Amino acid sequence: PHPHPQRWLILGVIVLAQLTVMLDNTVLSVAIPSLTRELHASTADIQWMINAYSLVQSGLLLTAGNAADRYGRKKLLIAGLALFGIGSLVAGFAQSSGQLIAARAGMGVGGALLITTTLAVVVQIFDDTERVKAIGIWSTVNSLGFAAGPLIGGAVLDHFWWGAIFLINIPVAVMALIAVATLVPESKSKQGERPDLLGALLSTVGMTAVVYAIISGPDHGWTSGQVLLPASAGALVLALFVGWELRIPYPMLDMHFFRNQRFVGAVAGVILVAFGMSGSLFLLTQHLQFVLGYGPLDAGLRTAPLAIAVVVLNLSGVGPRLIGKLGTPGAIALGMTLVSAGLGAIAVLGAHGYGGMLIGLVVMGTGIAFSMPAMANAIMSAIPPEKAGVGAGINGTLAEFGNGLGVAVLGAVLNSRFAALVPAAVGAASLPAALAAAENEAERLRISDAFASGLETSQLAGAVAVLVGGLLAALLLRRADRVAGPDAPSAARERAA
C-alpha cells in the first residue's frame, strides 16, 4: 500500500481508541470493593463483570477481523467505537450487577472490532519503510493500556464514584468517531468472498468456550466439570471449525497459513510474549501485596517501570531500529531472552525487596519492547494485505490465549508449590485464607515463606518457558526467511525498516 499523507495523525487517533480498549481489560480490578458495597455484588457477580468483557472480546476477534476485511475496515472501526461508547455509558450508570455485566459484554463486542480494525488500518496506510515503526507504536499502546489500567482506575476512584472509570471512555470514543469518519480511508478485500457464516459461528462458540475454561480454571479447579466440560466442548467445536475451513472455497481463516513457517513462528512468539507478560503481572501483584506488604494502588505504581520501559523504547524508535538491524528473528530472540532474564531477576533479586524487582521489571519491559512489535509485524507480513483484518484477529486471539495460559499455568505452579510446602493450607483458597486459619505467629510466618517460595518457583518456571519458546519462535522465523530467500516480501520489509 502507498503511504497515506495523514497517516501519523490517523495512527494517533486509532491508538487513542485502542488505549481505552486495553485499559478496560484491567481497570475494573481496583473497583471491586466499591462494586461489592454499592451494587451488593457477589463474588460470582464480580467475576462475571471482569470476565464478560474479555470473554466476548476474545470469542469474536476472528469473526470481527473477517467482517472488517469483507465489509470495510473503516465501517467496522466506526461501529466498534459506537458500540464501545454506548456500552461505556450504560456501564457507568448501571444500577445492578446484571446491567453492568451486560454492558461489559457489549463493550467486548466493540473491543473486538477495535482491536482488529486498528491494526488492519495501520497495515493499509503505512508502506514497507514505516510499517514496523507504526506497529511498534500500536504494540506499545497495548502494553501501556494493559499495565496502566489499575493505576488510572485507582486515580479516578480517589476522586469520583466507580462509574467514572467507564464514563471517561465516552469523550475519547466521540473524538475518535469524528476523526475516523473524517480522516481514515476505507479499505476492504477486493476478492468479494462470500461470508462464511458457519465458520464465524463455530470459531466464536469454540474460542469462547476454551477461553471460559481458561478463565474459570484457577477458581473451580482444572479437573472440575465446570472447566473440563467447556474446554472439551470448545476443543471439539474448534476441530469442526478447522475441518469446515479446509473444505470450503472461501474460508474465514485460510488454514494454509499454518504451512508457512514464518507464520507458525510468529504464532508461537505472540502466545509466549503474552504468556510471560500476563502471567508475570498476575504473580507480581501478589508478590508486591502479600510478600512485600504494599497496598493495591502502591503495588500498581510499582509495576509502572515495566510499561515505562516499553513506551520509552518504542516511542523513541529504539525498538523498530533494532528490528531493522537484527531482523525479526534476531529481535525476537533478544527480546524473549530479556523477558526471561527479567522474570528470573524478579524471582531471585526481588524476593526480599523492591530494588531487585525494579531491575527485573525494566529488563522485562525492554524485552517486551523488542519482541512484541517484531512478532506482530511477522504475523501481518506473513498474511496477504487483503487479509489484514483476519491477521489482526489472529494476533489478538493468540494474545488472549497467551494471557489466559500465563495466569493459568503460572498460577497452577504457584498453588502446587505452596500446597507442597504447607500441606495444611491445601484446603485454603488463598494466602489470606491460609493465614487466617493459622494457629500462631510461627505458623503464619511459615505459610508466608511457603507462598514466597511458590512465587519464586512459578516465576522461574515462566522464565524458562519464555526463553525456550522465544528461541524456538526465532529459529522457525530464521529458517522460514532462509527458505524464502532474500527477495521475499517479508525480508524486504525488514531491510526497509
Side-chain angles (χ1 to χ4, degrees):
H2 296 292
H4 191 278
Q6 294 177 300
R7 57 196 178 280
W8 294 108
L9 180 59
I10 294 172
L11 179 64
V13 169
I14 61 178
V15 297
L16 182 61
Q18 178 82 353
L19 179 61
T20 62
V21 174
M22 301 312 297
L23 286 172
D24 276 87
N25 276 308
T26 54
V27 72
L28 198 63
S29 59
V30 295
I32 290 174
S34 300
L35 293 169
T36 303
R37 183 174 59 252
E38 296 181 31
L39 292 184
H40 307 291
S42 65
T43 300
D45 290 337
I46 293 294
Q47 288 175 332
W48 276 108
M49 288 173 191
I50 294 172
N51 294 338
Y53 180 74
S54 57
L55 192 62
V56 171
Q57 180 178 282
S58 57
L60 287 175
L61 281 169
L62 269 182
T63 301
N66 181 259
D69 287 338
R70 175 171 172 76
Y71 300 110
R73 299 171 186 108
K74 178 177 179 176
K75 291 187 185 72
L76 272 294
L77 180 53
I78 290 173
L81 284 166
L83 285 171
F84 194 78
I86 293 168
S88 298
L89 180 64
V90 174
F93 291 105
Q95 299 298 307
S96 68
S97 297
Q99 290 177 10
L100 183 53
I101 291 168
R104 290 276 290 171
M107 290 170 69
V109 177
L113 290 170
L114 287 172
I115 287 173
T116 51
T117 52
T118 52
L119 183 55
V121 168
V122 168
V123 172
Q124 297 300 316
I125 64 175
F126 287 91
D127 65 7
D128 295 343
T129 62
E130 296 178 323
R131 190 175 299 121
V132 174
K133 184 176 181 180
I135 290 178
I137 293 172
W138 183 88
S139 298
T140 297
V141 170
N142 280 356
S143 302
L144 179 62
F146 189 86
L151 298 180
I152 293 176
V156 170
L157 289 173
D158 277 349
H159 299 90
F160 304 100
W161 94 110
W162 63 265
I165 63 177
F166 300 111
L167 298 183
I168 59 176
N169 295 333
I170 296 174
V172 176
V174 171
M175 288 189 296
L177 264 173
I178 296 170
V180 167
T182 306
L183 297 172
V184 175
E186 183 60 281
S187 63
K188 59 183 178 180
S189 174
K190 296 178 181 179
Q191 294 182 354
E193 296 177 357
R194 294 191 295 271
D196 178 13
L197 298 180
L198 180 57
L201 176 64
L202 291 173
S203 72
T204 301
V205 171
M207 282 189 286
T208 301
V210 171
V211 172
Y212 174 76
I214 292 173
I215 290 173
S216 302
D219 294 319
H220 298 301
W222 295 103
T223 57
S224 69
Q226 291 171 283
V227 173
L228 292 178
L229 184 61
S232 302
L236 176 61
V237 172
L238 287 178
L240 293 173
F241 169 71
V242 172
W244 173 254
E245 296 298 285
L246 288 170
R247 290 179 55 192
I248 61 173
Y250 298 102
M252 186 176 82
L253 175 60
D254 188 347
M255 292 298 161
H256 295 98
F257 289 151
F258 291 93
R259 295 180 181 176
N260 183 332
Q261 287 188 357
R262 184 178 183 81
F263 179 78
V264 172
V267 162
V270 168
I271 292 175
L272 286 158
V273 168
F275 177 99
M277 186 171 178
S278 182
S280 63
L281 285 176
F282 169 73
L283 297 173
L284 275 172
T285 53
Q286 297 185 70
H287 192 149
L288 288 163
Q289 293 183 65
F290 294 147
V291 177
L292 300 183
Y294 294 108
L297 184 56
D298 287 336
L301 286 169
R302 281 166 174 79
T303 62
L306 185 150
I308 292 171
V310 175
V311 171
V312 169
L313 287 170
N314 273 329
L315 293 188
S316 65
V318 174
R321 282 198 299 272
L322 185 76
I323 296 172
K325 289 181 180 179
L326 299 181
T328 297
I332 289 174
L334 176 59
M336 298 293 272
T337 300
L338 289 173
V339 172
S340 175
L343 270 171
I346 290 169
V348 177
L349 302 178
H352 304 293
Y354 180 69
M357 181 179 289
L358 176 61
I359 296 171
L361 287 170
V362 173
V363 173
M364 268 192 72
T366 303
I368 290 168
F370 294 158
S371 53
M372 277 192 77
M375 268 165 318
N377 184 62
I379 282 186
M380 299 308 289
S381 64
I383 289 178
E386 63 270 15
K387 293 284 189 180
V390 169
I394 293 170
N395 185 70
T397 301
L398 297 173
E400 288 291 336
F401 276 128
N403 290 338
L405 287 172
V407 173
V409 174
L410 298 188
V413 173
L414 166 62
N415 291 336
S416 62
R417 176 64 174 165
F418 181 46
L421 292 173
V422 188
V426 172
S430 64
L431 174 65
L435 291 173
E439 297 179 356
N440 52 56
E441 186 61 30
E443 188 173 348
R444 278 191 287 273
L445 181 60
R446 185 164 64 92
I447 290 171
S448 296
D449 288 343
F451 188 81
S453 177
L455 276 171
E456 181 179 340
T457 301
S458 54
Q459 285 163 339
L460 290 174
V464 172
V466 168
L467 178 62
V468 173
L471 294 178
L472 176 62
L475 178 63
L476 289 172
L477 288 168
R478 179 72 71 190
R479 182 180 298 172
D481 284 349
R482 192 179 300 119
V483 170
D487 295 324
S490 59
R493 288 175 189 172
E494 286 178 14
R495 290 200 303 274

